[in-house]
Amino acid sequence: MKRIILSTESGADLPKDLVEKHQIQVVPMHVIMEGKDYLDGQLSVEEVFDYHSRTKKIPSTAATNVHEYEDLFTKIRTEFPDSIIIHIGYTSKASASFQSALIAAENFENLFLIDTLNVTGGLAAIVMYAATLLEEEPSIEPVRLIEKVESIVPKARLAFLPGSLDFLKAGGRVSNLAYIGGALLKIKPCIELKEGKLVSTRKYRGKMSIVAEKLLRDYLDEYDIDRKQLYLIYSVGLDESIKRQMEEIAKETGFENVTWMQAGAMISTHAGPGGFGIAGLEK
Amino acid sequence: MERIVWLSALTYFLLVASFTFSYYVSKGRSKMVVIVIGVGALALLSWSLIDNAVMDYQDANIGLGLVLYLIWIITFFSFLFAIFTFFFSKKGK
């Protein structure tokens, strides 16, 4: 029986312990700061925030290239010669990474690609769904596993609130008027993944502790999330008391497991410090 | 129809109706003031709608929403001004 190896991009923000536990292969995406290209993970999130506070600019982000995917797949094949690779990829609607993976995959056999149409916690939820299935049923047929993962892709839900509008403004994602008005009135846009694209769906007004709770309750009202697992996402700077409060709400609404994930540099360049997000899979 | 479309259409209609009314009941310098404020409000609303449609903002229409609020306030006061001017001019006759 051939072993199934899962791979994904660093934009999934998978916690290290989960990566190690399930031996998930992670390929880094890119963060470009001050003209220098860094692999996601080389730069700390604090360095990204510091760069913004010094220059009022945000680093740009770039996709993983074909060569890097070829290296990843070759490395997996060298370590696990008879393996079947299932690459669970970052949304093709917001990054060229998946296209690069498709090109790289042409030279490999027994390699399957799944476009999750999701990022960060949403992508991580799908990867972890595959990893858990594989753990529970190690002899699962690859085709069956792929079918199951593909069927869960439209059920992955991600919503997040940026800590402030500063990073969205620096990235040209909010107008000057929205930035000034939003800052004065403490309005934050809720950003969700819809058909693979990041779109702002509604707005919340007030302190982060209040809006984070509203977002979590609205999210749970809107989506019938599987109570086995919830992923909560934070970017550096989110208050510890808010984290405890969110965890309590999640437990009180019946979630068996709550996993916190820190947004990496790739996602933090959009959300800024103190952002909060939720991801889960619908039943 | 998308909410933003009918809301913008209704805002345009009320703004134009209110300022047309204000223009016809005002006299002298106030006619000029009505034109300046009316054209300014129309330009602001049009610019905001075009900017919002062209740019790929992720601001949940915070900026456009604030502009709409401002335009509704301007429309309301323009309408009040027109009503008062209309009745005072009738009383004067």
Side-chain angles (χ1 to χ4, degrees), chain B residues 60-71:
Chain B
N61 294 331
I62 296 172
L64 184 60
L66 291 172
V67 168
L68 286 176
Y69 275 130
L70 180 66
I71 299 293

Side-chain angles (χ1 to χ4, degrees), chain A residues 173-175 177-178 181 198 200 202-203, chain B residues 51 57-63 66-67:
Chain A
R173 290 181 175 84
V174 296
S175 62
L177 192 68
L198 288 162
S200 55
R202 50 183 177 262
K203 39 196 170 283
Chain B
D51 184 50
Y57 289 139
Q58 286 169 359
D59 65 353
N61 294 331
I62 296 172
L66 291 172
V67 168

Side-chain angles (χ1 to χ4, degrees), chain A residues 128-141:
Chain A
M128 286 314 299
Y129 172 80
T132 311
L133 266 180
L134 206 51
E135 192 182 43
E136 287 169 357
E137 215 180 315
S139 58
I140 190 169
E141 280 296 313

Side-chain angles (χ1 to χ4, degrees), chain B residues 19-35 81-82 85-86 89:
Chain B
F19 273 90
T20 310
F21 186 23
S22 296
Y23 178 79
Y24 281 108
V25 295
S26 58
K27 283 169 194 150
R29 271 179 74 179
S30 56
K31 236 182 177 71
M32 206 61 201
V33 175
V34 166
I35 292 173
F81 165 78
T85 314
F86 181 71
S89 65

Side-chain angles (χ1 to χ4, degrees), chain A residues 64-99:
Chain A
T64 309
N65 60 47
V66 178
H67 183 65
E68 286 163 327
Y69 280 109
E70 281 173 345
D71 285 351
L72 169 79
F73 300 143
T74 308
K75 183 180 149 254
I76 297 173
R77 274 290 142 76
T78 314
E79 280 179 37
F80 310 98
D82 271 336
S83 61
I84 290 168
I85 304 168
I86 300 179
H87 181 76
I88 303 174
Y90 197 89
T91 176
S92 61
K93 299 283 172 72
S95 165
S97 290
F98 194 75
Q99 191 57 38

